[in-house]
Amino acid sequence: MRQTDFLVIGSGIAGLTYALKVANEFPDKNVLVMTKATADETNTKYAQGGIAVVNDLENDSFQKHIDDTLIAGDGLCNINVVEIVVKEGPERVQEIIDWGAKFDKEKDGDYKRGKEGGHSEFRILHHKDVTGKEMERALIDAVAKQKNIEFIKHCFVVDIITQHHLGYLVNKATPDVACYGVYVLNLETGKIEKILAKITLLATGGNGQVYRTTTNPSIATGDGVAMVYRAKGRIENMEFIQFHPTALYEPGVRGQAFLITEAVRGDGGILRNNSGEAFMGKYDPRKDLAPRDIVARAIDSEMKKTGTEHVWLDCRHFSKEKFTEHFPNIYEKCLSIGIDITKHMIPVAPAAHYSCGGIKTDEWGRSSIWNLYACGECASTGLHGANRLASNSLLEAMVFAHRCYMDSTAHLNPPERRTSQSHKGQLYGEQKNFRISGSVQGQIPPSGGGEAVPDWNAAGTTEPKEMILITQSLKELQLVMSDYVGIVRNDVRLQRAMRRLDLLWEETEQLYESSSLSPQLLELRNMITVGYLIVKGASFRKESRGLHYNTDYPGKSNLIQNIVL
Ligand code: FAD
Ligand code: SIN
């Protein structure tokens, strides 16, 4: 058993920003950062376009960024949160610059600013087309200098510990569910360890791997959301999965697809269908720079009409110098597969990219579970509503990491019971039959303590005999989600998806009950839970709004609601 003051799960922009802040303010306290992968294998590392921020008040304004965010969010953003993120953003961006992140500059020393879909101004700071890699590098370097941060890699967090593990009945109606820490599978020893913490932050990122093709790396399996759901915390708006319009289409490639940043269209790239027609004008007056939901649906419609698996992104009118100055990584990637962007068009297709919903938090990053905070892509703060504005997520992660730091450190000594979060929106759905191992009778631990938390109970489990039971179920899950719960949905498809997920769930639970745990099994189990939450949210939403388009309900409902599960 280990004990720490602050436990941070995830080493992307959200987790590392929070860790740096608390470690800096409390040099005598321990901060433990854990990741299931290598230090920098995160969605953050792959971010290309940049970070949207207002830092040119001559040509831009907070109000314009707020309006752009609200328009993209299609009526479902929390206006208060939008104002917080936009207005606090510049200070947070300056902090990461002070930690060493470099953004491209003009010859006169001013920042270069890019544009992406849905933005009315050029406001996206970037580091060529590898902005996330640069930000992650700066954060990891800064963390390495902070003596009271311990960074543990290859540790897979299995579940958060609550009263449930002490033998108490916990359900959705339990008002005081508290987090005492986590159970972790140490991937080096294969043992499950117990880590107790006064404050736990979930910064576990997105869930793109639930779909067959995604821009997300393999870590993006929605673990944090699944854990909170199992622990009876609140999850919100999971139906709003953002498909990026332009992932590179490579025949036969499944899983992570290479992104062609929207900034390419911001600089003048043009989408064309199989006949060479620049089709976006038929769908939206903003053409190639309409918000992402509109562009992805337009591409989907063109692909269906022509029976092709991709459309084209035309950059042939760029000079090589201009293109490589901003997009050297994309240029090299295309060249490596025989595409010279000055001569050939780039084949592109939509791919799952970003989860707008997630663990419901308030404006301080507090989840519905005591002592448990969430920020970054795993959280649903209210910023994105029904569709995230491009390049707003790195900004959101930093603003909310700061807010989690402010609130959690104010409540640290002794850990206070705060007043319950009010959950706007309707509460739907019954949790299915989730088993959490290791539950025994015990005493409620003293506040912030955890002496009574039992060790993980793996009695009676054996090594799984056949990995194919896991790998095949994963393929099935990804197919079901891509074919029935993709860009365009309807009730029949959603019902079919739910029936298939039920079967996958049943089979995977049997495996989980009887097997010693592996990351593959844990991720599959989490992804089925996330798939279930997406389908459930999509089934409850009887309208088409933002990223959720259901042909049975093509219009918007007058009832504006968040779907809380
Ligand atoms: P991540 O950076 O994904 O980090 C998650 C961390 O959690 C990882 O360390 C992971 O290992 C760890 N983890 C997960 N589960 C467990 C577990 N069970 N146990 C232990 N550790 C766990 N946004 C923008 O604003 N601008 C952009 O230009 C942009 N471009 C993008 C391009 C691509 C290709 C992608 C995929 C995303 C892009 N995004 C962009 C979105 C943005 O990058 C992400 O939303 C953001 O980086 C998420 O940061 P995070 O800290 O929340 O999560
Ligand atoms: C991109 O660069 O196109 C991705 C930006 C984002 O997801 O915000």
PDB file of all heavy atoms in Angstrom, residues 382-404:
ATOM      1  N   GLY A 382     -18.816  21.446 -19.678  1.00  0.00           N
ATOM      2  CA  GLY A 382     -19.844  22.336 -20.208  1.00  0.00           C
ATOM      3  C   GLY A 382     -19.304  23.268 -21.288  1.00  0.00           C
ATOM      4  O   GLY A 382     -20.047  24.015 -21.903  1.00  0.00           O
ATOM      5  N   LEU A 383     -17.977  23.229 -21.535  1.00  0.00           N
ATOM      6  CA  LEU A 383     -17.398  24.137 -22.542  1.00  0.00           C
ATOM      7  C   LEU A 383     -17.880  23.793 -23.951  1.00  0.00           C
ATOM      8  O   LEU A 383     -18.232  24.673 -24.723  1.00  0.00           O
ATOM      9  CB  LEU A 383     -15.861  24.073 -22.510  1.00  0.00           C
ATOM     10  CG  LEU A 383     -15.187  24.888 -23.618  1.00  0.00           C
ATOM     11  CD1 LEU A 383     -15.351  26.382 -23.393  1.00  0.00           C
ATOM     12  CD2 LEU A 383     -13.702  24.547 -23.760  1.00  0.00           C
ATOM     13  N   HIS A 384     -17.856  22.506 -24.289  1.00  0.00           N
ATOM     14  CA  HIS A 384     -18.025  22.154 -25.700  1.00  0.00           C
ATOM     15  C   HIS A 384     -19.477  22.009 -26.151  1.00  0.00           C
ATOM     16  O   HIS A 384     -19.743  22.048 -27.345  1.00  0.00           O
ATOM     17  CB  HIS A 384     -17.300  20.834 -26.002  1.00  0.00           C
ATOM     18  CG  HIS A 384     -15.877  20.821 -25.553  1.00  0.00           C
ATOM     19  ND1 HIS A 384     -14.988  21.798 -25.932  1.00  0.00           N
ATOM     20  CD2 HIS A 384     -15.196  19.963 -24.748  1.00  0.00           C
ATOM     21  CE1 HIS A 384     -13.797  21.538 -25.380  1.00  0.00           C
ATOM     22  NE2 HIS A 384     -13.910  20.434 -24.653  1.00  0.00           N
ATOM     23  N   GLY A 385     -20.384  21.783 -25.212  1.00  0.00           N
ATOM     24  CA  GLY A 385     -21.771  21.577 -25.609  1.00  0.00           C
ATOM     25  C   GLY A 385     -21.882  20.408 -26.555  1.00  0.00           C
ATOM     26  O   GLY A 385     -21.322  19.339 -26.318  1.00  0.00           O
ATOM     27  N   ALA A 386     -22.572  20.606 -27.685  1.00  0.00           N
ATOM     28  CA  ALA A 386     -22.836  19.505 -28.602  1.00  0.00           C
ATOM     29  C   ALA A 386     -21.745  19.330 -29.649  1.00  0.00           C
ATOM     30  O   ALA A 386     -21.809  18.411 -30.459  1.00  0.00           O
ATOM     31  CB  ALA A 386     -24.179  19.733 -29.291  1.00  0.00           C
ATOM     32  N   ASN A 387     -20.746  20.218 -29.647  1.00  0.00           N
ATOM     33  CA  ASN A 387     -19.670  20.120 -30.641  1.00  0.00           C
ATOM     34  C   ASN A 387     -18.528  21.040 -30.227  1.00  0.00           C
ATOM     35  O   ASN A 387     -18.732  22.242 -30.062  1.00  0.00           O
ATOM     36  CB  ASN A 387     -20.195  20.534 -32.022  1.00  0.00           C
ATOM     37  CG  ASN A 387     -19.119  20.496 -33.090  1.00  0.00           C
ATOM     38  OD1 ASN A 387     -18.182  19.693 -33.015  1.00  0.00           O
ATOM     39  ND2 ASN A 387     -19.247  21.368 -34.072  1.00  0.00           N
ATOM     40  N   ARG A 388     -17.341  20.480 -30.091  1.00  0.00           N
ATOM     41  CA  ARG A 388     -16.194  21.290 -29.664  1.00  0.00           C
ATOM     42  C   ARG A 388     -15.669  22.153 -30.808  1.00  0.00           C
ATOM     43  O   ARG A 388     -15.483  21.677 -31.933  1.00  0.00           O
ATOM     44  CB  ARG A 388     -15.065  20.373 -29.182  1.00  0.00           C
ATOM     45  CG  ARG A 388     -13.792  21.105 -28.833  1.00  0.00           C
ATOM     46  CD  ARG A 388     -12.743  20.130 -28.362  1.00  0.00           C
ATOM     47  NE  ARG A 388     -12.328  19.254 -29.431  1.00  0.00           N
ATOM     48  CZ  ARG A 388     -11.166  19.345 -30.084  1.00  0.00           C
ATOM     49  NH1 ARG A 388     -10.304  20.281 -29.769  1.00  0.00           N
ATOM     50  NH2 ARG A 388     -10.873  18.493 -31.035  1.00  0.00           N
ATOM     51  N   LEU A 389     -15.401  23.399 -30.503  1.00  0.00           N
ATOM     52  CA  LEU A 389     -14.725  24.272 -31.470  1.00  0.00           C
ATOM     53  C   LEU A 389     -13.267  23.832 -31.570  1.00  0.00           C
ATOM     54  O   LEU A 389     -12.616  23.556 -30.549  1.00  0.00           O
ATOM     55  CB  LEU A 389     -14.799  25.722 -30.980  1.00  0.00           C
ATOM     56  CG  LEU A 389     -14.182  26.785 -31.893  1.00  0.00           C
ATOM     57  CD1 LEU A 389     -14.964  26.926 -33.195  1.00  0.00           C
ATOM     58  CD2 LEU A 389     -14.132  28.138 -31.172  1.00  0.00           C
ATOM     59  N   ALA A 390     -12.748  23.789 -32.801  1.00  0.00           N
ATOM     60  CA  ALA A 390     -11.380  23.326 -33.029  1.00  0.00           C
ATOM     61  C   ALA A 390     -10.388  24.057 -32.127  1.00  0.00           C
ATOM     62  O   ALA A 390     -10.515  25.263 -31.889  1.00  0.00           O
ATOM     63  CB  ALA A 390     -11.009  23.573 -34.495  1.00  0.00           C
ATOM     64  N   SER A 391      -9.425  23.290 -31.629  1.00  0.00           N
ATOM     65  CA  SER A 391      -8.305  23.816 -30.831  1.00  0.00           C
ATOM     66  C   SER A 391      -8.704  24.440 -29.494  1.00  0.00           C
ATOM     67  O   SER A 391      -7.934  25.170 -28.889  1.00  0.00           O
ATOM     68  CB  SER A 391      -7.459  24.796 -31.656  1.00  0.00           C
ATOM     69  OG  SER A 391      -6.694  24.034 -32.581  1.00  0.00           O
ATOM     70  N   ASN A 392      -9.920  24.124 -29.045  1.00  0.00           N
ATOM     71  CA  ASN A 392     -10.336  24.579 -27.715  1.00  0.00           C
ATOM     72  C   ASN A 392      -9.983  23.580 -26.616  1.00  0.00           C
ATOM     73  O   ASN A 392     -10.146  23.895 -25.446  1.00  0.00           O
ATOM     74  CB  ASN A 392     -11.859  24.790 -27.678  1.00  0.00           C
ATOM     75  CG  ASN A 392     -12.249  26.260 -27.843  1.00  0.00           C
ATOM     76  OD1 ASN A 392     -11.380  27.122 -27.939  1.00  0.00           O
ATOM     77  ND2 ASN A 392     -13.533  26.528 -27.868  1.00  0.00           N
ATOM     78  N   SER A 393      -9.525  22.373 -26.975  1.00  0.00           N
ATOM     79  CA  SER A 393      -9.391  21.390 -25.897  1.00  0.00           C
ATOM     80  C   SER A 393      -8.079  21.522 -25.133  1.00  0.00           C
ATOM     81  O   SER A 393      -8.052  21.308 -23.920  1.00  0.00           O
ATOM     82  CB  SER A 393      -9.570  19.968 -26.411  1.00  0.00           C
ATOM     83  OG  SER A 393      -8.676  19.733 -27.430  1.00  0.00           O
ATOM     84  N   LEU A 394      -6.997  21.879 -25.806  1.00  0.00           N
ATOM     85  CA  LEU A 394      -5.750  22.104 -25.068  1.00  0.00           C
ATOM     86  C   LEU A 394      -5.960  23.269 -24.099  1.00  0.00           C
ATOM     87  O   LEU A 394      -5.506  23.247 -22.950  1.00  0.00           O
ATOM     88  CB  LEU A 394      -4.601  22.394 -26.035  1.00  0.00           C
ATOM     89  CG  LEU A 394      -4.221  21.235 -26.976  1.00  0.00           C
ATOM     90  CD1 LEU A 394      -3.246  21.697 -28.054  1.00  0.00           C
ATOM     91  CD2 LEU A 394      -3.610  20.066 -26.209  1.00  0.00           C
ATOM     92  N   LEU A 395      -6.692  24.265 -24.571  1.00  0.00           N
ATOM     93  CA  LEU A 395      -6.976  25.431 -23.726  1.00  0.00           C
ATOM     94  C   LEU A 395      -7.819  25.019 -22.513  1.00  0.00           C
ATOM     95  O   LEU A 395      -7.513  25.373 -21.367  1.00  0.00           O
ATOM     96  CB  LEU A 395      -7.733  26.475 -24.551  1.00  0.00           C
ATOM     97  CG  LEU A 395      -7.915  27.828 -23.875  1.00  0.00           C
ATOM     98  CD1 LEU A 395      -6.589  28.572 -23.826  1.00  0.00           C
ATOM     99  CD2 LEU A 395      -8.955  28.675 -24.593  1.00  0.00           C
ATOM    100  N   GLU A 396      -8.867  24.264 -22.777  1.00  0.00           N
ATOM    101  CA  GLU A 396      -9.744  23.822 -21.682  1.00  0.00           C
ATOM    102  C   GLU A 396      -8.962  23.015 -20.645  1.00  0.00           C
ATOM    103  O   GLU A 396      -9.130  23.184 -19.429  1.00  0.00           O
ATOM    104  CB  GLU A 396     -10.881  22.958 -22.238  1.00  0.00           C
ATOM    105  CG  GLU A 396     -11.856  22.490 -21.162  1.00  0.00           C
ATOM    106  CD  GLU A 396     -12.684  21.283 -21.591  1.00  0.00           C
ATOM    107  OE1 GLU A 396     -12.151  20.406 -22.305  1.00  0.00           O
ATOM    108  OE2 GLU A 396     -13.857  21.214 -21.219  1.00  0.00           O
ATOM    109  N   ALA A 397      -8.085  22.125 -21.143  1.00  0.00           N
ATOM    110  CA  ALA A 397      -7.326  21.265 -20.226  1.00  0.00           C
ATOM    111  C   ALA A 397      -6.485  22.124 -19.279  1.00  0.00           C
ATOM    112  O   ALA A 397      -6.424  21.869 -18.068  1.00  0.00           O
ATOM    113  CB  ALA A 397      -6.434  20.314 -21.026  1.00  0.00           C
ATOM    114  N   MET A 398      -5.860  23.159 -19.806  1.00  0.00           N
ATOM    115  CA  MET A 398      -4.997  23.994 -18.956  1.00  0.00           C
ATOM    116  C   MET A 398      -5.815  24.840 -17.990  1.00  0.00           C
ATOM    117  O   MET A 398      -5.467  24.971 -16.818  1.00  0.00           O
ATOM    118  CB  MET A 398      -4.104  24.878 -19.826  1.00  0.00           C
ATOM    119  CG  MET A 398      -3.010  24.062 -20.498  1.00  0.00           C
ATOM    120  SD  MET A 398      -1.671  25.078 -21.092  1.00  0.00           S
ATOM    121  CE  MET A 398      -2.492  26.000 -22.321  1.00  0.00           C
ATOM    122  N   VAL A 399      -6.910  25.408 -18.486  1.00  0.00           N
ATOM    123  CA  VAL A 399      -7.736  26.256 -17.611  1.00  0.00           C
ATOM    124  C   VAL A 399      -8.318  25.402 -16.479  1.00  0.00           C
ATOM    125  O   VAL A 399      -8.299  25.798 -15.307  1.00  0.00           O
ATOM    126  CB  VAL A 399      -8.855  26.951 -18.421  1.00  0.00           C
ATOM    127  CG1 VAL A 399      -9.890  27.577 -17.488  1.00  0.00           C
ATOM    128  CG2 VAL A 399      -8.257  28.006 -19.346  1.00  0.00           C
ATOM    129  N   PHE A 400      -8.776  24.213 -16.803  1.00  0.00           N
ATOM    130  CA  PHE A 400      -9.397  23.391 -15.751  1.00  0.00           C
ATOM    131  C   PHE A 400      -8.363  22.707 -14.855  1.00  0.00           C
ATOM    132  O   PHE A 400      -8.638  22.476 -13.678  1.00  0.00           O
ATOM    133  CB  PHE A 400     -10.418  22.422 -16.347  1.00  0.00           C
ATOM    134  CG  PHE A 400     -11.775  23.056 -16.392  1.00  0.00           C
ATOM    135  CD1 PHE A 400     -12.164  23.815 -17.479  1.00  0.00           C
ATOM    136  CD2 PHE A 400     -12.637  22.963 -15.316  1.00  0.00           C
ATOM    137  CE1 PHE A 400     -13.395  24.460 -17.502  1.00  0.00           C
ATOM    138  CE2 PHE A 400     -13.871  23.599 -15.325  1.00  0.00           C
ATOM    139  CZ  PHE A 400     -14.255  24.351 -16.422  1.00  0.00           C
ATOM    140  N   ALA A 401      -7.183  22.424 -15.365  1.00  0.00           N
ATOM    141  CA  ALA A 401      -6.128  21.908 -14.479  1.00  0.00           C
ATOM    142  C   ALA A 401      -5.851  22.959 -13.402  1.00  0.00           C
ATOM    143  O   ALA A 401      -5.694  22.647 -12.217  1.00  0.00           O
ATOM    144  CB  ALA A 401      -4.870  21.593 -15.276  1.00  0.00           C
ATOM    145  N   HIS A 402      -5.821  24.207 -13.812  1.00  0.00           N
ATOM    146  CA  HIS A 402      -5.584  25.303 -12.866  1.00  0.00           C
ATOM    147  C   HIS A 402      -6.725  25.384 -11.849  1.00  0.00           C
ATOM    148  O   HIS A 402      -6.508  25.529 -10.649  1.00  0.00           O
ATOM    149  CB  HIS A 402      -5.458  26.616 -13.636  1.00  0.00           C
ATOM    150  CG  HIS A 402      -5.264  27.804 -12.755  1.00  0.00           C
ATOM    151  ND1 HIS A 402      -4.045  28.141 -12.205  1.00  0.00           N
ATOM    152  CD2 HIS A 402      -6.165  28.736 -12.288  1.00  0.00           C
ATOM    153  CE1 HIS A 402      -4.182  29.218 -11.448  1.00  0.00           C
ATOM    154  NE2 HIS A 402      -5.458  29.595 -11.480  1.00  0.00           N
ATOM    155  N   ARG A 403      -7.937  25.278 -12.322  1.00  0.00           N
ATOM    156  CA  ARG A 403      -9.096  25.392 -11.424  1.00  0.00           C
ATOM    157  C   ARG A 403      -9.142  24.198 -10.454  1.00  0.00           C
ATOM    158  O   ARG A 403      -9.481  24.348  -9.285  1.00  0.00           O
ATOM    159  CB  ARG A 403     -10.382  25.492 -12.246  1.00  0.00           C
ATOM    160  CG  ARG A 403     -10.375  26.784 -13.053  1.00  0.00           C
ATOM    161  CD  ARG A 403     -11.700  27.123 -13.654  1.00  0.00           C
ATOM    162  NE  ARG A 403     -11.904  28.541 -13.430  1.00  0.00           N
ATOM    163  CZ  ARG A 403     -12.876  29.081 -12.728  1.00  0.00           C
ATOM    164  NH1 ARG A 403     -13.811  28.317 -12.192  1.00  0.00           N
ATOM    165  NH2 ARG A 403     -12.958  30.377 -12.545  1.00  0.00           N
ATOM    166  N   CYS A 404      -8.807  22.999 -10.947  1.00  0.00           N
ATOM    167  CA  CYS A 404      -8.748  21.828 -10.045  1.00  0.00           C
ATOM    168  C   CYS A 404      -7.691  22.074  -8.974  1.00  0.00           C
ATOM    169  O   CYS A 404      -7.883  21.760  -7.797  1.00  0.00           O
ATOM    170  CB  CYS A 404      -8.377  20.553 -10.819  1.00  0.00           C
ATOM    171  SG  CYS A 404      -9.664  19.966 -11.917  1.00  0.00           S
TER     172      CYS A 404
END
